[in-house]
Amino acid sequence: MSLKILLLEDDELLGETIEDMLKSEGYEVVWVTRGNDAIDMTYEEKFDLYIFDIGVPDIDGLELLESLREADDTTPAIYISARVDIDSIAKGFENGAYDYIKKPFFPEELLVRIRARFNNKKINLLQCGEYTYDLSKKILYKDNEVVSMGEVQREVLHLFITNRGRVLDKNQLLECLSQPSDAALRVAINKLKHATEFKLKNVRGVGYILEEC
């Protein structure tokens, strides 16, 4: 999974619990405890989901999401809050949140709601650095734009990215070529490096490895 989540929660125990749970499910999580830190992170990185507590230092979660919506940030958001008054709940939905979970709650409840919204959309995606890879379509994206490459490079990439961190036997990669040869494989890998800037390393006498994106 490649869902990238910004978690704003100033309760250290709850924040750590949620972070650990989401990471164990394969989600990428950036956890902050102050509203201003959350604002900074939205400038620095792109997220698929916001999970915001409301009563946090600097700027509360309601004002934070309202500001983001005014800046045309449409990232889906969930509120988790001890505020159970109807005004806060109404404001949360008015700001564009799609869910509001009242504290205290079981962390697994949050997970169920995330799965219900995102799993069908995200299950076939892998994140690799700045790139997103669609497993079912074998398409690589950067900044939501398709990275152009030939069919051979596409097949080679699929092997590398689904075996990231593992050494691939040269014969596995040669099977991606219509006219396999060591020279043709080197050309294909060099073209892939040029198209993606991925760090593809030759392991002498064994094969190749994608160490990092």
Side-chain angles (χ1 to χ4, degrees):
M1 298 179 188
S2 63
L3 199 68
K4 188 170 184 178
I5 299 172
L6 175 60
L7 170 63
L8 171 60
E9 174 55 67
D10 65 336
D11 182 309
E12 295 285 341
L13 180 58
L14 179 59
E16 184 177 358
T17 299
I18 293 174
E19 180 187 38
D20 289 346
M21 177 189 68
L22 294 177
K23 285 185 174 180
S24 71
E25 290 294 314
Y27 300 122
E28 183 178 351
V29 182
V30 175
W31 171 32
V32 295
T33 58
R34 308 180 71 89
N36 284 342
D37 292 337
I39 291 176
D40 291 342
M41 292 309 305
T42 64
Y43 291 145
E44 295 173 11
E45 301 186 44
K46 180 176 176 57
F47 294 91
D48 300 298
L49 173 66
Y50 297 143
I51 300 174
F52 290 164
D53 187 7
I54 293 178
V56 295
D58 298 334
I59 174 174
D60 72 37
L62 291 172
E63 185 179 349
L64 170 59
L65 186 59
E66 184 175 21
S67 298
L68 291 171
R69 294 299 188 241
E70 289 174 352
D72 296 325
D73 185 332
T74 59
T75 303
I78 299 175
Y79 280 117
I80 51 174
S81 178
R83 297 188 188 180
V84 295
D85 61 284
I86 192 64
D87 288 340
S88 294
I89 296 172
K91 182 66 172 177
F93 284 107
E94 287 171 7
N95 286 349
Y98 79 84
D99 211 340
Y100 192 112
I101 302 176
K102 302 173 186 178
K103 294 181 179 178
F105 62 91
F106 291 108
E108 290 77 11
E109 178 184 353
L110 174 62
L111 185 60
V112 167
R113 298 194 189 206
I114 294 172
R115 284 172 174 167
R117 169 96 183 199
F118 289 99
N119 264 17
N120 290 337
K121 296 179 181 179
K122 296 292 179 179
I123 195 68
N124 289 321
L125 300 182
L126 288 177
Q127 199 68 32
C128 198
E130 299 178 344
Y131 296 87
T132 300
Y133 183 66
D134 189 316
L135 285 164
S136 60
K137 297 179 181 178
K138 296 184 179 180
I139 295 176
L140 187 70
Y141 299 89
K142 183 178 182 182
D143 299 327
N144 294 320
E145 297 289 334
V146 176
V147 178
S148 179
M149 66 183 70
E151 185 62 29
V152 171
Q153 285 75 47
R154 192 186 306 278
E155 294 299 322
V156 171
L157 172 65
H158 186 78
L159 269 181
F160 274 124
I161 210 164
T162 54
N163 291 277
R164 184 171 40 174
R166 302 175 185 170
V167 177
L168 287 172
D169 186 280
K170 184 176 65 175
N171 291 327
Q172 290 178 269
L173 295 164
L174 286 171
E175 291 178 1
C176 298
L177 281 61
S178 57
Q179 296 182 332
S181 70
D182 288 353
L185 179 58
R186 285 196 297 271
V187 169
I189 290 176
N190 284 334
K191 286 184 177 180
L192 185 57
K193 285 181 179 179
H194 181 73
T196 64
E197 301 177 356
F198 285 176
K199 298 184 184 303
L200 304 173
K201 181 180 178 182
N202 175 241
V203 180
R204 188 176 296 277
V206 181
Y208 293 83
I209 183 173
L210 169 59
E211 292 184 319
E212 57 181 296
C213 303

